[in-house]
Amino acid sequence: MIKKSLSFCLVAGLLLTTPMQADAAQISLALAGGITSSLDEATTSDDEMANVLDEVVKNNYTGFCIAHVNDYVNVRSASNEDGEIIGKLYDKSVGTVEAEENGWYLITSGNVHGYVKGDYVAIGYEAEELAEEAGTKMAVVTTETLRVRQDATTDSPILGLIPQQEELVVTDETEDFVKVSIEEGDGWVSKDYVELRTDYVYAESKEEELARLEKEAAAREAAQKAAASKVRSQSGSSGSGSAPALGNGGGSSTGNAVASFASQFVGNPYVYGGTSLTNGADCSGFVMSVYANFGVGLPHSSSALRSAGYGVSLADAQPGDIICYSGHVAIYMGNNTIVHASTAATGIKYTSPANYKNILAVRRIF
């Protein structure tokens, strides 16, 4: 029988010349890790080939991997379907591959260390192609008021203003400037006034998922109690006894009441830094003040609102949910429509579709 030998040359400089036999999955993993190979005819055992490859992968391969799934894939304690589920690797989550076994990859992602079926994880060149989608480059504002300009110069016309600590999605970059996304459009800011970072999603362990769900449930219960108390207080003082009109769509009655209440202020002005629903508010001030009417305290920050309540998908969005964008937030009305304090030029208005710009998060309070 004619067998193939494989000579390895690691990028790090380690040279292995022992001829060995390998299966396609192992060779693919090795090549993805930066190992070059040459095939020659030789007579060596499959076991010898497999052993060397296992050592190469285990000791010398650290491969970037990205989950490529619709929602998530389970991370297990062993390289088979019978292994205990120890965590979840969500779509576009990143990690490192440490070994390959029976079509499964041993990975580390966040605090999760276990096996994922290879069908759901991209490595090598495929991972490189997905890498740009996996990471989101962010610019954190470090000055009191950031002036976002139309062009990459400090004397270019101002496109919009952004407060300190807000986090903006970076869409382009030069040596001295970054292009960021805000409600008024994409504009440029000097790197002197922002800190740059790249955000990735990592696997979530069973313990982390349980803690998150418990925290979200407690926050939801507290918000519902606060809203109920506020409604009783308002109905008692007004004596009207009339129920609030509902927003346009399904979901909870309280969420619909939030959407309906927010819609009253369409046409009112946008004011940078403002929180008045009648005299003027900015985007996060608008959301904060609407929810304050229901007894819920929220931060005056579009970035901080990305952590309020609990997350849902846009497909599952209901009236009253908070839609978060780069440097902007809105309240979902149902029927793919939002209400928001848009810009100084347009004020508080409706916009459809809800994904008129890239959505970073959808957060539900009730």
Side-chain angles (χ1 to χ4, degrees):
M1 180 176 64
I2 297 176
K3 297 184 179 180
K4 299 294 183 179
S5 68
L6 196 57
S7 298
F8 295 105
C9 177
L10 297 183
V11 171
L14 176 64
L15 182 65
L16 300 177
T17 57
T18 307
M20 299 294 165
Q21 180 87 19
D23 61 36
Q26 289 175 308
I27 293 174
S28 174
L29 180 61
L31 293 176
I35 302 171
T36 60
S37 66
S38 62
L39 291 173
D40 301 310
E41 292 184 359
T43 55
T44 54
S45 71
D46 290 351
D47 288 342
E48 286 179 309
M49 178 68 79
N51 287 339
V52 167
L53 270 168
D54 285 345
E55 286 302 309
V56 169
V57 171
K58 178 180 178 181
N59 298 326
N60 301 295
Y61 178 73
T62 299
F64 181 64
C65 67
I66 300 178
H68 194 35
V69 293
N70 290 331
D71 188 6
Y72 67 86
V73 58
N74 290 321
V75 183
R76 297 181 181 273
S77 61
S79 57
N80 55 65
E81 297 288 355
D82 296 327
E84 178 190 357
I85 296 174
I86 59 176
K88 293 178 178 178
L89 190 69
Y90 294 92
D91 186 41
K92 294 186 176 62
S93 293
V94 302
T96 55
V97 178
E98 300 173 17
E100 185 274 341
E101 184 177 323
N102 303 322
W104 292 68
Y105 294 143
L106 176 62
I107 70 160
T108 295
S109 178
N111 295 318
V112 180
H113 180 70
Y115 291 89
V116 175
K117 200 166 187 179
D119 295 342
Y120 304 111
V121 178
I123 63 171
Y125 301 119
E126 186 181 357
E128 287 180 15
E129 292 177 355
L130 294 172
E132 192 170 329
E133 300 176 27
T136 302
K137 194 161 191 176
M138 306 295 293
V140 184
V141 180
T142 58
T143 187
E144 185 175 355
T145 301
L146 179 69
R147 294 171 175 83
V148 182
R149 300 183 181 274
Q150 293 181 10
D151 299 305
T153 63
T154 54
D155 56 358
S156 175
I158 295 172
L159 183 65
L161 302 175
I162 301 295
Q164 192 169 21
Q165 296 304 312
E166 287 290 353
E167 301 174 358
L168 308 171
V169 174
V170 175
T171 60
D172 200 356
E173 185 174 359
T174 68
E175 184 177 353
D176 300 317
F177 288 82
V178 288
K179 195 174 190 180
V180 296
S181 178
I182 62 173
E183 174 63 9
E184 291 84 352
D186 284 3
W188 295 88
V189 300
S190 170
K191 290 182 178 178
D192 293 338
Y193 305 114
V194 296
E195 290 181 353
L196 301 178
R197 71 164 194 263
T198 301
D199 290 346
Y200 293 100
V201 178
Y202 297 96
E204 184 177 49
S205 68
K206 286 179 64 176
E207 295 76 14
E208 288 169 334
E209 181 183 29
L210 179 60
R212 174 178 58 80
L213 293 174
E214 289 178 346
K215 181 180 178 181
E216 291 175 351
R220 184 163 61 250
E221 182 179 358
Q224 290 170 341
K225 287 181 178 179
S229 176
K230 187 77 172 179
V231 168
R232 285 195 299 270
S233 174
Q234 289 174 340
S235 63
S237 61
S238 66
S240 64
S242 59
L246 298 181
N248 187 12
S252 70
S253 59
T254 309
N256 274 273
V258 168
S260 178
F261 179 77
S263 68
Q264 300 177 53
F265 306 102
V266 169
N268 288 348
Y270 172 100
V271 174
Y272 176 76
T275 60
S276 172
L277 296 173
T278 53
N279 297 324
D282 59 17
C283 64
S284 57
F286 174 70
V287 172
M288 180 185 75
S289 296
V290 166
Y291 268 91
N293 183 72
F294 294 86
V296 178
L298 293 176
H300 190 180
S301 163
S302 62
S303 300
L305 285 169
R306 294 206 296 269
S307 299
Y310 61 101
V312 297
S313 68
L314 178 61
D316 294 328
Q318 298 174 359
D321 288 351
I322 300 171
I323 312 292
C324 304
Y325 309 90
S326 172
H328 193 65
V329 287
I331 294 174
Y332 190 65
M333 296 296 294
N335 287 350
N336 205 16
T337 300
I338 59 170
V339 60
H340 57 141
S342 179
T343 67
T346 57
I348 298 173
K349 67 169 191 172
Y350 297 116
T351 295
S352 183
N355 61 346
Y356 72 106
K357 57 188 298 186
N358 185 48
I359 293 175
L360 299 181
V362 181
R363 308 299 295 186
R364 180 166 299 158
I365 305 300
F366 298 113

